[in-house]
Amino acid sequence: MKTLKRRLLPLLTVALLLCAALTVTAFAADPTEEPGTKMIECPDCGGSGACMDCYGLDEACESCGGQNTCASCGGTGYVESPSRFYNTLWALLPPVIAIALALITKEVYSSLFVGILVGGLLYSNFSFEGTVLHVFSDGIVSVLSDSYNVGILVFLVILGTLVCLMNKAGGSAAFGRWAQTHIKTRMGAQLATVVLGCLIFIDDYFNCLTVGSVMRPVTDKHRVSRAKLAYLIDATAAPVCIIAPISSWAAAVAGFAEEGQGLNLFIRAIPFNFYALLTVIMMVGMALMKIEFGTMATFEENAEKNGDLFSGPNPYAAMDEEADETNGRVIDLVLPIVVLVVCCVIGMIYSGGFFSGAGFVEAFSNSDASVGLMLGSAFALVFTFVYYLIRRAMSFRDMMGCIPEGFKAMVPAILILTFAWSLKAMTDSLGAKYFVRDFVQGSAASMQMFLPAIVFLIGCLLAFATGTSWGTFGMLIPIVQNVFSMDNPLAIVCISACMAGAVCGDHCSPISDTTIMASAGAQCDHVNHVSTQLPYAITAAAVSFVSYIIAGFIPNAFIALPIAIVLMLATLMVIKMLHSKGKH
């Protein structure tokens, strides 16, 4: 009994310390940091608390009476949310409805719009006028007027144009012919896609569309279904970016971290990022062991045996109508892609201040992915125009015709992205992140050893519901830093769990922008991509969850990571055995 008391005493002490740490935010000056908050930033003064009518320059101002005080918030900068559903479980209803409808109806546009509409109804307390204004003004119009979002849309249009140019110049067809002689098996095509995806680790948006445009002709020749290609692209986008120190994701994590730890914190967390590492191992393992399961097995069987790459209609059929099969060379595809990679890297370090004196790592940490990718792709497009003119690969008129064709090809992805961003705006306006934050702080702190697994699970659910990984780990990382000192080994494990959970939820979510662009990159039906990759992602997530339980008790990467890898390989072997028995 005495031994038991001695063991329990340290645990009770740790639990009390955790509770004390978690109460710190309750006394923050910012009222939105209080548990159960209903406060939002004042929309009239933008949180400044100042009078926006006279800016304190007019002593006779009717709004402030010369006091330079915002009449709406009384100078505090915060007002109570007009929605009675703010910071409640109802805040998660819009994305849940959108996801459920998308999976049931297989129709993503209407599902997303219904989710947005539900968000507007909850925010306006079911007022007709308030709902319409919130959905369009604060939702769709707001996200389309955001400079970051517009930059991503411009990047998408330019990439669509580049793909169209490479198709018409015959570069894609030439690469397909080259690959047919050098990559001779379906396994080789899949492994080549994984390798290329891992090499393009700068940004997940860039990865999705670049890998798709390069590898589509290769995987098509070897009868790999577009759904499998979309999974390989998606699984080498965010999961690879989140373990690459030189990437836009490392920059984002560095920005969310406190006390100037930044990139060092990101690098220390890499060995514990089980979901990202196990996803890469799972892809390679499935290709080598020739394992397919779930709905993906049906798509792969249709592709391999019947040559049906889509198991249904091709939503991007217009992209291939005028492809030239004869005049193109491999260099017509490879050179524009290489220039695109180089220009995007230069664009990102430019946006981070590299040419103003900042170091390379610092510039990448401070980079703006939207600006960097937009500028980089624009210069790559100009280069491609000039190169094709010099090569006489196609006429100037044909090249100009590729601009609207590339735009049209990306309309489905742009429309889904716009709706997904609008849905996120709805959940933000309902305070979903505060509800999740309070849940984490109130429920998870008492179970220290299980905290990494709990944080991973919450990160998965939040990112799945909201479709954003950056927003998820941006919210959870500061909470972990409040709970633990960075000297505690569990702090790094929990921060890795934040990032892994966010990437896992983002990978699974049908409203995630990365998932949407993986569908666009593979030119695959979006709902087919989501439904086929879900069993694979859930398998990696389940093994990761168990691995985080182990890491909670043994926070040592040299022990926990090998155990996680063995668990992943053992799981694949069990799946193969069960699948073989099912065939017989």
Side-chain angles (χ1 to χ4, degrees):
M1 182 64 73
K2 288 182 179 179
T3 305
L4 181 62
K5 287 182 178 179
R6 286 174 183 171
R7 289 178 179 175
L8 287 175
L9 189 60
L11 292 175
L12 290 172
T13 305
V14 170
L16 288 172
L17 289 171
L18 286 171
C19 291
L22 288 170
T23 58
V24 172
T25 55
F27 302 100
D30 184 349
T32 63
E33 293 301 311
E34 297 178 4
T37 183
K38 295 290 183 184
M39 304 303 289
I40 61 173
E41 189 178 87
C42 177
D44 293 331
C45 67
S48 67
C51 176
M52 303 306 289
D53 291 335
C54 71
Y55 302 102
L57 302 175
D58 185 3
E59 294 182 0
C61 175
E62 294 181 2
S63 298
C64 68
Q67 300 300 311
N68 190 28
T69 301
C70 174
S72 300
C73 63
T76 63
Y78 300 92
V79 295
E80 188 169 331
S81 171
S83 173
R84 63 175 179 268
F85 302 101
Y86 188 85
N87 192 2
T88 66
L89 182 62
W90 294 100
L92 296 176
L93 186 60
V96 169
I97 287 177
I99 291 166
L101 284 176
L103 295 176
I104 292 169
T105 65
K106 310 293 184 185
E107 212 298 299
V108 69
Y109 303 114
S110 59
S111 301
L112 285 171
F113 187 74
V114 169
I116 295 167
L117 192 61
V118 170
L121 286 167
L122 293 175
Y123 182 83
S124 65
N125 301 309
F126 299 96
S127 160
F128 176 77
E129 181 184 4
T131 299
V132 172
L133 290 176
H134 189 59
V135 165
F136 288 96
S137 297
D138 302 331
I140 295 171
V141 173
S142 176
V143 300
L144 288 177
S145 58
D146 180 88
S147 60
Y148 185 94
N149 292 347
V150 172
I152 294 300
L153 295 182
V154 171
F155 173 63
L156 272 177
V157 171
I158 293 175
L159 277 180
T161 303
L162 279 170
V163 170
C164 188
L165 282 167
M166 289 184 289
N167 283 346
K168 283 196 171 183
S172 298
F175 187 82
R177 292 192 296 270
W178 175 87
Q180 195 171 22
T181 59
H182 292 78
I183 302 174
K184 298 183 179 180
T185 63
R186 296 181 83 251
M187 181 197 300
Q190 293 178 55
L191 291 175
T193 304
V194 173
V195 170
L196 183 61
C198 291
L199 289 175
I200 303 180
F201 51 76
I202 297 166
D203 184 77
D204 54 330
Y205 294 169
F206 178 49
N207 177 301
C208 287
L209 296 170
T210 303
V211 175
S213 63
V214 172
M215 294 308 300
R216 263 196 320 273
V218 181
T219 54
D220 285 356
K221 294 286 185 182
H222 290 285
R223 295 189 172 188
V224 176
S225 70
R226 290 292 179 88
K228 184 61 182 290
L229 175 61
Y231 166 70
L232 295 175
I233 293 170
D234 208 350
T236 54
V240 169
C241 291
I242 199 65
I243 54 175
I246 301 177
S247 70
S248 58
W249 287 61
V253 173
F256 291 128
E258 294 178 356
E259 301 175 10
Q261 294 161 342
L263 202 60
N264 177 50
L265 184 67
F266 181 90
I267 293 170
R268 289 170 63 196
I270 290 173
F272 291 105
N273 201 321
F274 296 133
Y275 181 79
L277 295 169
L278 294 181
T279 295
V280 175
I281 289 168
M282 182 176 173
M283 283 187 295
V284 175
M286 286 194 303
L288 294 174
M289 298 180 193
K290 298 181 179 178
I291 302 171
E292 303 294 347
F293 59 95
T295 51
M296 185 72 83
T298 304
F299 277 72
E300 281 290 85
E301 188 175 351
N302 287 341
E304 187 174 6
K305 293 182 178 178
N306 307 322
D308 183 2
L309 300 176
F310 301 91
S311 292
N314 176 4
Y316 293 85
M319 290 285 285
D320 301 319
E321 283 180 358
E322 299 180 33
D324 188 335
E325 295 282 343
T326 56
N327 298 325
R329 299 177 184 173
V330 173
I331 193 69
D332 294 336
L333 176 82
V334 174
L335 187 59
I337 292 293
V338 170
V339 171
L340 180 63
V341 172
V342 172
C343 287
C344 284
V345 172
I346 294 173
M348 291 187 73
I349 62 173
Y350 165 78
S351 69
F354 179 76
F355 298 102
S356 300
F360 184 85
V361 174
E362 181 188 355
F364 228 107
S365 298
N366 297 327
S367 66
D368 185 323
S370 175
V371 172
L373 295 175
M374 177 180 63
L375 294 178
S377 60
F379 277 98
L381 180 62
V382 172
F383 169 85
T384 304
F385 280 147
V386 174
Y387 169 71
Y388 284 164
L389 279 174
I390 294 172
R391 255 260 305 133
R392 296 183 179 178
M394 55 197 304
S395 68
F396 183 76
R397 181 183 293 275
D398 287 341
M399 284 192 289
M400 292 299 102
C402 288
I403 297 176
E405 285 188 33
F407 190 105
K408 284 188 288 185
M410 286 299 167
V411 164
I414 290 170
L415 187 56
I416 296 173
L417 264 182
T418 301
F419 280 169
W421 286 333
S422 301
L423 185 60
K424 180 185 179 297
M426 296 296 108
T427 57
D428 287 347
S429 69
L430 289 169
K433 65 180 181 180
Y434 297 119
F435 173 78
V436 176
R437 179 199 65 189
D438 295 346
F439 175 79
V440 175
Q441 291 184 339
S443 304
S446 60
M447 297 177 282
Q448 184 186 21
M449 302 307 176
F450 294 98
L451 194 55
I454 292 170
V455 169
F456 172 74
L457 188 60
I458 291 171
C460 289
L461 295 174
L462 182 59
F464 182 82
T466 59
T468 170
S469 46
W470 286 23
T472 300
F473 60 64
M475 179 172 50
L476 293 180
I477 287 175
I479 293 173
V480 170
Q481 290 187 317
N482 262 342
V483 173
F484 292 108
S485 163
M486 288 300 104
D487 296 330
N488 189 330
L490 271 181
I492 299 299
V493 180
C494 284
I495 285 174
S496 291
C498 294
M499 294 187 284
V503 168
C504 177
D506 177 88
H507 191 191
C508 297
S509 178
I511 61 174
S512 159
D513 45 8
T514 310
T515 308
I516 293 162
M517 281 195 275
S519 302
Q523 294 184 8
C524 168
D525 180 78
H526 182 60
V527 175
N528 286 345
H529 167 45
V530 174
S531 61
T532 52
Q533 86 162 358
L534 205 54
Y536 290 8
I538 290 173
T539 300
V543 177
S544 300
F545 180 77
V546 174
S547 301
Y548 278 116
I549 294 176
I550 296 169
F553 289 91
I554 312 172
N556 185 319
F558 292 105
I559 298 174
L561 182 57
I563 292 174
I565 293 171
V566 170
L567 283 174
M568 184 76 258
L569 294 175
T571 302
L572 290 178
M573 291 298 295
V574 170
I575 290 172
K576 184 174 183 179
M577 289 170 59
L578 292 174
H579 192 63
S580 299
K581 285 182 180 179
K583 283 184 175 179
H584 298 298

